[in-house]
Amino acid sequence: MTETSARDNPPIWVEHLKKYYQVHDKEVGLRGSLKSFVSRKYRDVKAVDDISFEIGMGEIVGFLGPNGAGKTTTLKMLSGLLYPSAGEARVLGFKPNERKPEYLRRMTLVMGQKQQLNWDLPAIETFLVNQAIYEIPDEKYNKTLTELTELLDLAPLLRKQVRKLSLGERMKCELAAALLHLPQVLFLDEPTIGLDVTMQTKIRQFVAEYNRRYHATVILTSHYMADVTALCKRVIVIHHGKLMYDGSLDALSARIAPHKLVRVELSSALNGHALAGYGQVLKAEGQRVELLVPRAQTSGVAARILGELPVADLTIEDPPIEDVISRVFEEGAMAREWDGETEQEMPK
Amino acid sequence: MIQFLKKYIALMRRSLAVHMEYRVAMFIWMLSATFPLVMLAVWLSLAEDGPIAGFTAGDFVGYYLLSFYMRQMTSVWVAWELDYDIRHGDMSSKLLHPLNPIHEYVAFNLADKVIRGFMFTPVVIVVALLAPGVTFLVTPLNLLFFAIAVMGAWAMRYFFQFNLGLLGFWFSQALVLTDVFWMLFLLLGGGVAPIELLPEPLRTIAYHLPFRFMMSFPIEIMMGRLSVNEILVGFVSVAAWVVVLATVYRILWARGIRQFSAFGA
């Protein structure tokens, strides 16, 4: 089909995508129930409100946004589960909501809070069913399974009942089940939710390796910024269904938090007053000092501190990315930043 | 076609494993279908003084033995599965597969039928041979007719309940309808009493409704109460009903998925 080839590049293409829901509000109590039975008041909820973006082959993009921002709704539209209210999406040249088998065989959606593995059976049973459903030839299946087993350390898990696996072990098996058909497009919705730090790291490394080996395109949502900083050069920030930012993580950090954090360990105590000339004093407790310095001046200020103060140790850091992101979501913060106004204080 | 068969084999293999995992629960469910035995006891005590409308005591034993078998071999619970999957989002997982989810549900049910078939077919044969007065028409042709009629009954019950379950896309209490269905099925399908023994006008109504083909029709065949002509006419009716139910399924499924992908998924 000509349509497919025309749009095959880029693999993910989204234009003015919208998803509005009609919900009815119910007042509390019996009276409220009766009222809503007789006449329901509906209102539109704009889960996704006019977002557009393109994602290139082999990219890993992080979707950021607080709960209810529209991340999952977007992923569900891209994987064909939800029908858009308006706008258009193409993935690998397909309209996702047509749910063509040829499309479904080339993508996967992993939801950290849902599972496809059968609870009562070993994971390998679900793998075998997926082999048949996705029409994977034996040879390719065995090769892929061997690779995934090695990458995810699945060997001791495959024959255990899924309900006897730990949360992390289960997630590894879920990922394998979702990737046996070697999809080219991965939608990962909170794949590390609830996992401990070690397991998060393993899943992360695995996603990076899969992306590298198979040149797969990945959209990832996560509440753990470490996932995003480790995997995604590019992030898309969604808030109240609107696209707030699309670009590199570094640039986002620079724009939202145009300061660096300078930590100084002094060899003898000074009074706070003498420090004010270097930058904004966040903390001055005995010999420990934290200063907020505009990015551009960081190296100059550091040099001056080293020359003028009795310094035992000095470090320059980016403010924690969690803080940067939470700033984005504070109502209006974004708009003000975009206007070029400089924030005076670090959020904490 | 071969790919399709492979999918069914894989799905049924897994389904068998699931059923086996719950073998104790399954065994209890199977034996809980004792309603036919209760009805048998009632009719036997009534038939003590002689046949009732042509049904001897032996006929009642045969009838309710087959009624028990029919309930085992056509048991359907897919409306509950659909209800659960629609509410809990498992339908979404199934929709991501490049295979219509109905096949996963059907395979799950068929695996159960394989198990029940192996368990209860010998039981029915042994009881039929040992119990006094049971007369079945055992010829190869009639056994074939019976097998076809059982499959038809299963298909009708399955699609009927699948369609009721699909209403869950629109209504959160669609399961109530399965209770209505169950009452009609027992009363007008021959579960409570052989349709021949129903009082008028219930009897005439029962002969014009689909429920008879879901239970009574195969039993009537096995007991030798129908002519070949009547059997063939019955098959045409069953085929027509299956086509109607399957068409309704197609419409409900297409619309339901549209509804689901607009609001629910």
Side-chain angles (χ1 to χ4, degrees):
Chain A
M1 23 185 219
T2 50
E3 229 179 355
T4 306
S5 51
R7 306 246 197 201
D8 225 351
N9 208 7
I12 302 178
W13 175 86
V14 173
E15 204 163 83
H16 301 301
L17 200 64
K18 291 181 186 174
K19 183 73 199 177
Y20 292 1
Y21 290 106
Q22 273 209 330
V23 296
H24 66 268
D25 294 318
K26 191 183 94 63
E27 288 169 43
V28 183
L30 181 62
R31 185 190 290 260
S33 299
L34 285 172
K35 252 181 155 176
S36 91
F37 187 76
V38 179
S39 77
R40 282 188 173 179
K41 281 188 194 132
Y42 288 94
R43 68 187 167 88
D44 268 339
V45 170
K46 299 176 178 181
V48 172
D49 194 11
D50 196 2
I51 64 174
S52 307
F53 59 83
E54 283 180 14
I55 294 177
M57 186 73 85
E59 262 193 284
I60 306 185
V61 175
F63 260 30
L64 300 175
N67 290 333
K71 300 178 306 250
T72 303
T73 306
T74 306
L75 291 190
K76 281 182 172 174
M77 282 195 278
L78 291 180
S79 48
L81 289 176
L82 280 178
Y83 203 95
S85 307
E88 223 188 326
R90 296 284 172 127
V91 184
L92 299 168
F94 293 95
K95 275 189 172 175
N97 59 280
E98 287 175 353
R99 296 181 45 251
K100 291 211 172 113
E102 305 85 62
Y103 173 56
L104 298 175
R105 274 197 283 270
R106 289 171 66 186
M107 57 76 76
T108 201
L109 167 69
V110 177
M111 293 188 270
Q113 311 195 53
K114 294 268 163 63
Q115 61 166 32
Q116 65 158 322
L117 295 174
N118 188 299
W119 193 247
D120 300 304
L121 299 179
I124 191 80
E125 297 279 353
T126 301
F127 292 2
L128 287 168
V129 167
N130 282 6
Q131 183 200 355
I133 288 181
Y134 286 94
E135 301 174 10
I136 309 169
D138 283 342
E139 199 184 325
K140 193 179 163 204
Y141 170 81
N142 289 329
K143 185 167 167 281
T144 310
L145 183 59
T146 311
E147 282 187 20
L148 293 174
T149 303
E150 174 207 319
L151 284 174
L152 287 164
D153 300 321
L154 295 181
L157 312 179
L158 289 179
R159 274 154 223 290
K160 262 199 214 169
Q161 264 185 324
V162 169
R163 63 161 173 246
K164 288 178 183 150
L165 299 177
S166 75
L167 192 62
E169 291 172 334
R170 216 157 69 213
M171 196 59 224
K172 292 204 287 189
C173 292
E174 281 289 340
L175 273 173
L179 297 174
L180 277 172
H181 59 291
L182 295 180
Q184 289 146 287
V185 171
L186 277 60
F187 302 117
L188 306 178
D189 193 16
E190 309 270 3
T192 55
I193 196 156
L195 304 186
D196 66 41
V197 179
T198 327
M199 195 55 85
Q200 281 179 29
T201 313
K202 277 195 186 145
I203 301 280
R204 225 175 271 155
Q205 285 166 347
F206 171 74
V207 172
E209 180 60 23
Y210 185 91
N211 162 263
R212 199 185 60 73
R213 272 194 203 192
Y214 303 105
H215 215 59
T217 306
V218 182
I219 297 184
L220 169 87
T221 79
S222 177
H223 276 117
Y224 303 111
M225 280 311 300
D227 286 345
V228 177
T229 46
L231 289 172
C232 316
K233 290 196 187 77
R234 175 178 165 199
V235 295
I236 289 176
V237 180
I238 302 177
H239 193 33
H240 291 318
K242 286 199 187 297
L243 195 147
M244 308 282 285
Y245 176 83
D246 179 356
S248 79
L249 194 58
D250 294 342
L252 176 70
S253 171
R255 265 170 119 164
I256 300 292
H259 296 91
K260 290 228 176 201
L261 187 65
V262 178
R263 284 184 216 268
V264 187
E265 185 106 25
L266 299 167
S267 49
S268 60
L270 289 170
N271 76 50
H273 207 69
L275 298 165
Y278 300 108
Q280 189 193 343
V281 182
L282 286 183
K283 205 162 81 177
E285 286 166 8
Q287 280 146 278
R288 280 196 200 160
V289 176
E290 284 183 20
L291 297 163
L292 210 50
V293 180
R295 265 170 199 271
Q297 303 167 23
T298 321
S299 50
V301 169
R304 273 172 56 211
I305 293 176
L306 285 169
E308 298 165 16
L309 299 178
V311 175
D313 192 17
L314 183 145
T315 56
I316 302 170
E317 296 166 18
D318 273 318
I321 189 75
E322 276 86 351
D323 293 348
V324 175
I325 295 301
S326 69
R327 280 274 294 281
V328 177
F329 304 142
E330 280 167 24
E331 210 72 49
M334 204 76 183
R336 260 182 290 152
E337 288 301 329
W338 276 192
D339 293 343
E341 194 179 311
T342 316
E343 286 290 295
Q344 288 308 307
E345 42 189 275
M346 275 288 291
K348 256 289 170 205
Chain B
M1 189 63 202
I2 289 182
Q3 281 292 356
F4 188 71
L5 255 151
K6 269 190 182 169
K7 289 176 193 178
Y8 256 87
I9 290 167
L11 284 168
M12 281 181 66
R13 231 187 64 106
R14 180 178 64 176
S15 304
L16 276 172
V18 174
H19 290 308
M20 286 306 170
E21 198 55 44
Y22 286 102
R23 51 193 175 269
V24 175
M26 197 172 104
F27 195 66
I28 291 169
W29 282 331
M30 286 175 180
L31 294 186
S32 70
T34 50
F35 182 73
L37 301 181
V38 176
M39 288 315 299
L40 173 61
V42 173
W43 283 109
L44 277 183
S45 70
L46 290 175
E48 262 175 7
D49 306 328
I52 302 168
F55 268 74
T56 64
D59 288 337
F60 281 118
V61 173
Y63 184 90
Y64 284 106
L65 181 64
L66 289 173
S67 164
F68 171 78
Y69 188 65
M70 284 305 296
R71 288 194 44 181
Q72 297 293 346
M73 297 314 292
T74 63
S75 66
V76 178
W77 60 91
V78 71
W80 283 265
E81 289 177 79
L82 286 167
D83 178 72
Y84 183 92
D85 287 354
I86 291 169
R87 280 163 187 266
H88 292 81
D90 291 24
M91 183 57 83
S92 299
S93 310
K94 290 194 166 82
L95 285 172
L96 289 170
H97 289 155
L99 176 74
N100 187 327
I102 194 175
H103 300 302
E104 294 190 40
Y105 295 109
V106 168
F108 193 55
N109 190 288
L110 289 182
D112 167 78
K113 296 301 162 291
V114 171
I115 298 172
R116 290 188 201 234
F118 274 111
M119 276 180 72
F120 292 112
T121 310
V123 172
V124 168
I125 292 171
V126 169
V127 174
L129 289 174
L130 295 183
V134 174
T135 46
F136 289 162
L137 179 60
V138 185
T139 65
L141 182 66
N142 206 49
L143 285 174
L144 178 69
F145 284 157
F146 177 70
I148 294 171
V150 172
M151 287 188 264
W154 173 85
M156 283 178 69
R157 277 191 70 183
Y158 197 84
F159 272 120
F160 217 105
Q161 210 188 75
F162 203 93
N163 291 344
L164 291 180
L166 287 179
L167 295 177
F169 280 128
W170 293 273
F171 314 109
S172 46
Q173 278 151 22
L175 283 181
V176 175
L177 292 173
T178 60
D179 290 335
V180 178
F181 169 83
W182 188 244
M183 271 165 44
L184 294 172
F185 166 72
L186 281 186
L187 185 63
L188 300 171
V192 176
I195 293 178
E196 285 178 57
L197 303 188
L198 289 179
E200 287 294 355
L202 235 45
R203 211 176 91 177
T204 311
I205 293 172
Y207 277 115
H208 287 92
L209 289 177
F211 304 105
R212 172 175 168 244
F213 296 110
M214 303 184 200
M215 161 92 87
S216 176
F217 179 59
I219 301 178
E220 292 166 32
I221 292 176
M222 200 61 203
M223 293 182 70
R225 291 183 170 255
L226 298 179
S227 67
V228 172
N229 202 30
E230 285 170 319
I231 292 172
L232 294 180
V233 169
F235 283 166
V236 172
S237 300
V238 170
W241 275 112
V242 170
V243 169
V244 168
L245 291 167
T247 309
V248 172
Y249 149 74
R250 280 182 159 275
I251 295 167
L252 284 177
W253 177 254
R255 300 228 166 145
I257 289 304
R258 216 180 303 155
Q259 171 79 9
F260 190 60
S261 64
F263 301 104

